[in-house]
Amino acid sequence: MTDETDLGAIMRGYRLMTGFLAWILLPSLVWADINPGLYKPYQSLLSNYLIEETLPGNGLVSAFDYQAALADTDLAQTLEQQRKALAEFDTGTLEAQKESVAFWVNAYNFFMLEQILTERPDGQLVSSVWDYGGRVNPFVDSVFERESFVIGGERFSLSQIEKSVLLGKDYQSWGWKDARVHFAVNCASVGCPPLRNTLYTADNLEGLLAENTRRALNTDRHLKIQGDTLYVTELFKWYEYDFHEASGSTKAFIEEWADSAVLEGVVGTSSIKFINYDWALNLRANFPELR
């Protein structure tokens, strides 16, 4: 039979144990990653309409089934739910590095898809993102420069998300800038590193950045070797500073992140040239590997 003294000791022990567990669990509750919950509508688009294909040598390509998405009677609601969630989200609550980087990569990729799905000249999908303006029509801002996308009550362009946030001065000063982001943000074009069928989160960010970079470099669209010449995606030309800042040179960056099989060939090259970027919309029909 338990007396009052024993019962009091048991209760004190119980309180101590529950207090200890609360202390252990509190950080995980406070720092819970917002990405999975905030981006549920966007994840549904990826789950339903993103096509990923593994290539020989473990390369990767992906295409988006825009026509199937447009046939979905819930599409408008899905897009509006995601726009509203981002417009009302307080970006000041983003404090952890991985959660923040994942948030902005997801935002860029969602808004790129949303743009293609909602602005269709004469009711038709564009054949390239440049159909919106820029190169084809220099009197109209390109899709990358339009401040059309609302996050936390503030208007952003895709270019601002990429260059001013993810690759901007604040991230650089905090040690958060990562050149592999160029292999994560997706411009809805064949020449772009593949869009993935899952959200970026604090938990998977590092793994996906490394995997995306490695698998992109396993495809001829982004890297190939002919004789002693290394041919690489024009991303390495446009964002040369970022890759040099990260690793010292373009070749050093590739050597750091490429598969060992690719690395063996890269080491023996003595010059670098660039592969023409394919700006065709990332439809299945535009990828020879997916036809």
Side-chain angles (χ1 to χ4, degrees):
M1 182 174 179
T2 303
D3 61 24
E4 291 183 3
T5 302
D6 292 337
L7 182 60
I10 291 171
M11 292 304 296
R12 284 194 299 275
Y14 175 79
R15 286 195 293 270
L16 286 171
M17 179 59 69
T18 54
F20 176 76
L21 289 174
W23 181 79
I24 291 293
L25 294 174
L26 183 59
S28 65
L29 295 174
V30 172
W31 297 108
D33 184 8
I34 55 88
N35 286 285
L38 183 69
Y39 283 106
K40 277 185 178 179
Y42 171 47
Q43 177 64 76
S44 72
L45 293 177
L46 296 176
S47 298
N48 291 328
Y49 307 116
L50 200 281
I51 305 153
E52 286 190 351
E53 183 75 18
T54 295
L55 305 178
N58 202 34
L60 180 69
V61 297
S62 70
F64 193 81
D65 192 342
Y66 294 97
Q67 294 295 357
L70 290 168
D72 185 346
T73 55
D74 293 329
L75 177 64
Q77 181 180 6
T78 300
L79 294 177
E80 178 55 27
Q81 286 175 341
Q82 191 61 76
R83 284 192 297 261
K84 187 173 186 291
L86 289 171
E88 296 176 352
F89 178 72
D90 180 3
T91 57
T93 63
L94 293 169
E95 296 184 9
Q97 176 182 356
K98 291 181 179 179
E99 178 188 39
S100 300
V101 173
F103 170 86
W104 288 104
V105 171
N106 290 329
Y108 184 106
N109 290 343
F110 165 71
F111 280 125
M112 187 78 258
L113 282 181
E114 188 258 354
Q115 169 67 34
I116 304 292
L117 290 166
T118 56
E119 187 175 347
R120 304 189 310 280
D122 299 321
Q124 301 299 313
L125 289 168
V126 292
S127 59
S128 164
V129 294
W130 292 112
D131 291 353
Y132 291 119
R135 293 183 176 183
V136 176
N137 184 352
F139 299 103
V140 178
D141 283 343
S142 77
V143 68
F144 302 107
E145 302 303 328
R146 298 181 186 181
E147 294 182 5
S148 304
F149 310 111
V150 182
I151 303 173
E154 182 179 352
R155 289 190 171 274
F156 288 85
S157 67
L158 295 173
S159 182
Q160 287 168 338
I161 292 173
E162 181 179 15
K163 299 174 185 177
S164 299
V165 180
L166 288 165
L167 300 165
K169 292 180 179 179
D170 284 345
Y171 271 29
Q172 183 178 31
S173 66
W174 301 337
W176 292 11
K177 182 178 177 181
D178 193 325
R180 294 175 299 170
V181 159
H182 291 298
F183 292 91
V185 294
N186 182 273
C187 62
S189 304
V190 170
C192 197
L195 184 64
R196 302 307 304 270
N197 63 7
T198 187
L199 296 174
Y200 288 81
T201 68
D203 287 340
N204 70 21
L205 178 70
E206 173 57 34
L208 280 180
L209 289 178
E211 180 183 327
N212 279 16
T213 304
R214 182 178 68 253
R215 297 188 73 180
L217 296 175
N218 282 348
T219 71
D220 288 346
R221 187 171 287 108
H222 303 288
L223 184 150
K224 57 186 178 182
I225 297 169
Q226 294 180 356
D228 63 354
T229 301
L230 174 63
Y231 289 85
V232 294
T233 170
E234 286 186 294
L235 289 172
F236 285 109
K237 177 170 66 175
W238 302 329
Y239 301 106
E240 180 182 43
Y241 174 82
D242 296 329
F243 295 112
H244 284 216
E245 179 185 49
S247 303
S249 69
T250 295
K251 194 171 180 180
F253 177 88
I254 293 169
E255 290 172 347
E256 182 175 355
W257 294 107
D259 268 343
S260 56
V262 172
L263 177 60
E264 185 177 342
V266 169
V267 170
T269 60
S270 58
S271 64
I272 294 178
K273 293 184 178 179
F274 299 100
I275 301 166
N276 289 333
Y277 210 78
D278 188 344
W279 286 103
L281 190 64
N282 58 339
L283 298 167
R284 177 192 283 272
N286 288 334
F287 287 90
E289 305 95 328
L290 299 178
R291 291 174 191 160

